[in-house]
């Protein structure tokens, strides 16, 4: 393992002329990116953490690289964030500065922070690359939803990134010769840590398509791109498009590696993509708090419906309802996945209670339920919490949406659930008991959209005269779904 988090930016003598990043017509070589980032890093020295307005642009990557170089933790902000989330995140993380592309209009509390514009023009005299901070230094604080309450800030140390990205490189045979293409958002682990820091650590090239479309990624794979990262919704759309367009299917079929993650890829989708493109998707399993835990190997058996074996350096076990480990040979038992290793987060920001609750004898409790094939391949079969929804690969807490809906004057009671959806995996449904005057579904969806990020809007609103409750008064969500 190299000592630097980003060795080819810290020392551009090896790959300086190679393109590091391309967004549309904007491209930066390793030498240019290093100069731009070192310039901004010199303005960040001594700070604790910065917010980055995470539009899908080269400026966002340059801001992130600058903060990483300076040893300052990055709080990536979804540019489609709602008012309530913004107040919470800025209040909780207390960033010292906000980094954004020049001209980007920043809403709410972000506008009140001291701002640094990140341009792609290298300074006339780029300063030296700063010394590598200790491996335990926080690199990112990524906000993630829980079952109740506002999102929690997951503090990820540099060692989690280095160890995990190197483990992925080993199992995917990911090298400096690869060109990665994706259209993932840059405010979550998948798009930002795997999809930006990943290629920069390898010394390879990233082509970001801005907004995902099969057409855009197929055009890149018909060119020099070798790897694609996506969530299952993207692979579903890709399969639909390839079924209608042979040329696209052929372009996708040229990839060295198609990787899916963030939610389960249905086995039927695996098979459809293989039939259409000749490619078998590799599935990997991760979490914001743990980065990646498991993956199918590049040269391994690409078995649909499994997430492969634990990554090198990651300890994984299944535990029963009493917290006792299930023997590895027991292939019938379903248990909760617990993990341990250098990939783990340091804790939830300002939430020692939640951090303690997530740990069990030094192991992190993922909340995901799984069983094992005889050769150790992990099959995820569900989630412990019914109040967590995965829609389009985004994790969404039912409680956060319920709290916003309850603030609407015409909402008396509400329950939010996830329903199976062929495109999104799950779609958000709000069950509402209205007061005297029933609001329209559109009005309630717009009310959520104002307070929370776009992907947290209910797709459907269903009105009821009462919610089904048990003897304790708790809403029976399973009964609603039935
Ligand atoms: C959405 N729209 C709506 C509603 N919902 N309009 C009205 N009412 C609603 N309820 C709008 C959207 O804003 C969008 O508008 C348009 O409808 C289409 O929406 P959608 O079908 O959702 O398509 P999309 O916007 O293209 O999004 C699909 C997507 C996206 C591209 C797959 O969900 C996505 O980028 N997902 C990636 C999530 C991710 O990165 N997760 C990683 C988490 P408009 O076009 O105007 O905006 S990290 C993680 O999970 C771990 C670590 C891991 O393992 O990776
Ligand atoms: P997040 O908190 O957004 O990082 O989402 C993490 C969650 O996504 C995990 O706890 C799993 O429930 C889910 N997840 C990620 N990858 C996979 C996968 N390949 N198969 C099934 N679930 C997955």
């Amino acid at each position: 393992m190299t000592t630097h988090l980003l060795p080819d930016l810290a020392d551009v003598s090896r790959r300086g002329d190679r393109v590091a990043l391309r967004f549309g017509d904007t491209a930066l070589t390793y030498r240019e990116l290093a100069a731009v980032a070192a310039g901004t890093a010199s303005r960040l020295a001594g700070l604790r953490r910065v917010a980055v307005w995470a539009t899908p642009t080269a400026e966002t990557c340059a801001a992130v690289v600058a903060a990483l170089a300076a040893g300052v933790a990055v709080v990536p902000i979804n540019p489609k964030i709602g008012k309530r989330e913004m107040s919470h995140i800025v209040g909780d993380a207390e960033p010292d500065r906000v980094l954004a592309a020049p001209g980007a209009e920043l809403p709410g509390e972000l506008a009140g922070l001291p701002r640094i514009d990140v341009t792609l023009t290298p300074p006339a005299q780029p300063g030296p690359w700063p010394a590598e901070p200790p491996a335990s230094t926080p690199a990112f604080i990524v906000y993630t939803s829980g079952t109740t309450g506002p999102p929690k800030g997951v503090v990820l140390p540099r060692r989690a990134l280095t160890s995990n990205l190197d483990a992925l490189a080993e199992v995917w045979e990911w090298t400096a010769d690869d060109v990665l293409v994706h259209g993932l958002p840059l405010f979550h682990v998948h798009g930002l840590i795997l999809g930006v820091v990943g290629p920069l650590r390898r010394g390879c090239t990233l082509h970001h398509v801005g907004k995902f479309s099969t057409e855009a990624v197929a055009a890149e794979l018909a060119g020099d791109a070798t790897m694609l990262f996506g969530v299952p919704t993207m692979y579903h759309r890709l399969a639909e498009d390839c079924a209608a367009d042979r040329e696209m299917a052929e372009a996708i079929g040229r990839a060295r590696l198609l990787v899916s993650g963030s939610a389960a890829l249905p086995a039927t989708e695996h098979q459809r993509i293989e039939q259409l493109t000749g490619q078998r998707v590799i599935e990997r399993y991760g979490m914001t708090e743990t980065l990646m835990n498991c993956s199918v190997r590049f040269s391994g058996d690409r078995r649909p419906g499994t997430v492969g074996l634990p990554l090198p350096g990651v300890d994984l076990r299944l535990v029963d309802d009493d917290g006792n480990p299930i023997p590895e040979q027991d292939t019938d038992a379903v248990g909760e996945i617990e993990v341990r290793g250098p990939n783990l987060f340091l804790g939830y920001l300002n939430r020692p209670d939640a951090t303690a609750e997530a740990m069990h004898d030094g192991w992190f409790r993922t909340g995901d339920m799984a069983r094992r094939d005889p050769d150790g391949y992990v099959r995820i079969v569900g989630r412990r919490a019914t109040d967590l929804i995965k829609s389009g690969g985004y994790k969404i807490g039912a409680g956060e949406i319920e709290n916003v809906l309850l603030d609407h004057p015409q909402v008396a009671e509400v329950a939010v659930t996830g329903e199976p959806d062929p495109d999104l995996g799950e779609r958000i449904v709000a069950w509402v008991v209205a007061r005297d005057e029933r609001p329209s579904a559109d009005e309630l969806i717009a009310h959520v959209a104002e307070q929370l990020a776009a992907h947290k809007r209910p797709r459907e609103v269903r009105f009821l005269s009462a919610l089904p409750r048990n003897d304790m008064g708790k809403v029976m969500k399973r009964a609603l779904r039935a």
Side-chain angles (χ1 to χ4, degrees):
M1 201 193 287
T2 36
T3 47
H4 280 287
L5 170 56
L6 300 168
D8 293 304
L9 287 164
D11 172 7
V12 291
S13 64
R14 275 194 306 177
R15 268 186 267 277
D17 296 325
R18 167 130 208 200
V19 171
L21 307 166
R22 178 153 69 68
F23 286 74
D25 297 333
T26 305
L28 288 176
T29 63
Y30 273 85
R31 183 169 288 108
E32 289 164 340
L33 178 59
V36 166
T40 302
S42 64
R43 301 173 65 188
L44 304 179
L47 301 181
R48 186 177 55 156
R49 53 184 86 113
V50 293
V52 172
W53 184 243
T55 52
T57 57
E59 283 84 351
T60 295
C61 300
V64 166
V65 170
L68 290 175
V72 177
V74 172
V75 185
I77 307 285
N78 176 355
K80 290 191 183 165
I81 195 171
K83 283 184 191 164
R84 183 183 293 225
E85 283 168 300
M86 171 74 87
S87 300
H88 168 66
I89 292 176
V90 175
D92 190 47
E94 298 183 301
D96 299 306
R97 303 278 186 282
V98 55
L99 275 54
E105 225 173 278
L106 303 179
E109 287 81 353
L110 270 193
L113 293 174
R115 171 175 179 154
I116 295 180
D117 278 341
V118 177
T119 68
L120 301 180
T121 317
Q125 297 217 300
W129 194 262
E132 180 69 14
S136 57
T137 309
F140 286 98
I141 300 172
V142 181
Y143 278 80
T144 188
S145 293
T147 48
T148 53
K152 298 184 290 254
V154 175
V155 184
L156 290 161
R158 297 171 88 88
R159 70 163 168 268
L161 276 65
T162 51
S163 65
N164 209 238
L165 292 171
D166 290 352
L168 292 175
E170 184 182 329
V171 303
W172 293 343
E173 302 177 26
W174 182 5
T175 71
D177 294 332
D178 279 300
V179 174
L180 172 68
V181 58
H182 70 82
L184 290 157
L186 300 188
F187 46 86
H188 275 308
V189 163
H190 195 166
L192 184 57
I193 298 185
L194 269 61
V196 174
V197 187
L200 295 178
R201 180 163 173 80
R202 291 279 72 77
C204 78
T205 298
L206 165 66
H207 290 178
H208 194 284
V209 297
K211 185 174 164 58
F212 172 84
S213 73
T214 311
E215 202 179 355
V217 298
E220 295 294 343
L221 290 166
D224 57 0
T226 61
M227 300 167 78
L228 170 68
F229 288 175
V231 297
T233 300
M234 294 172 180
Y235 283 103
H236 172 77
R237 295 179 185 181
L238 180 146
E240 298 277 294
D241 294 335
C242 287
D245 187 330
R246 227 280 22 85
E247 224 173 284
M248 253 188 215
E250 268 168 26
I252 303 287
R254 291 180 48 170
R256 183 180 78 76
L257 191 60
L258 307 177
V259 186
S260 174
S262 302
L265 185 69
T268 47
E269 217 73 90
H270 265 278
Q271 281 143 4
R272 195 151 74 117
I273 293 169
E274 186 180 4
Q275 277 162 10
L276 290 163
T277 68
Q279 284 276 349
R280 274 194 175 206
V281 175
I282 280 208
E283 198 167 352
R284 92 312 179 269
Y285 154 66
M287 215 174 155
T288 304
E289 291 87 335
T290 64
L291 304 185
M292 299 306 108
N293 296 310
C294 292
S295 182
V296 172
R297 272 48 178 170
F298 175 71
S299 52
D301 177 14
R302 303 183 183 187
R303 204 175 303 157
T306 77
V307 293
L309 298 167
L311 289 176
V314 177
D315 284 339
L316 180 146
R317 67 180 189 181
L318 302 184
V319 298
D320 64 21
D321 285 345
D322 300 322
N324 300 314
I326 295 170
E328 279 183 33
Q329 317 73 270
D330 188 346
T331 53
D332 291 325
V334 169
E336 180 176 354
I337 301 176
E338 293 189 341
V339 291
R340 199 171 62 172
N343 53 314
L344 254 56
F345 71 144
L346 296 172
Y348 296 111
L349 188 68
N350 304 325
R351 292 293 308 275
D353 55 323
T355 309
E357 206 183 311
M359 301 305 293
H360 171 214
D361 293 344
W363 294 74
F364 176 76
R365 304 163 58 187
T366 63
D368 292 311
M369 305 300 289
R371 61 181 184 75
R372 267 184 288 230
D373 283 0
D375 59 1
Y377 267 45
V378 174
R379 284 182 187 270
I380 296 176
V381 297
R383 244 189 330 259
R384 198 175 267 296
T386 49
D387 276 345
L388 284 179
I389 300 167
K390 264 269 160 169
S391 189
Y394 286 114
K395 182 154 87 179
I396 298 158
E400 196 184 2
I401 305 173
E402 288 163 358
N403 288 340
V404 169
L405 283 168
L406 281 172
D407 281 348
H408 189 281
Q410 287 312 118
V411 173
E413 293 178 67
V414 65
V416 166
T417 60
E419 288 198 359
D421 184 280
D423 179 45
L424 296 167
E426 288 180 282
R427 71 172 174 280
I428 301 170
V429 177
W431 306 80
V432 173
V433 178
R435 295 192 193 283
D436 1 316
E437 213 178 298
R438 185 193 275 193
S440 71
D442 285 349
E443 185 183 334
L444 293 182
I445 292 169
H447 174 74
V448 174
E450 199 183 334
Q451 301 298 331
L452 304 177
H455 61 265
K456 296 183 180 174
R457 282 173 289 178
R459 300 268 163 175
E460 271 178 64
V461 179
R462 296 189 191 141
F463 292 95
L464 297 171
S465 52
L467 294 176
R469 292 185 185 270
N470 65 15
D471 294 342
M472 314 284 288
K474 197 170 176 302
V475 179
M476 296 190 295
K477 292 201 172 176
R478 287 186 208 281
L480 279 174
R481 282 200 209 93

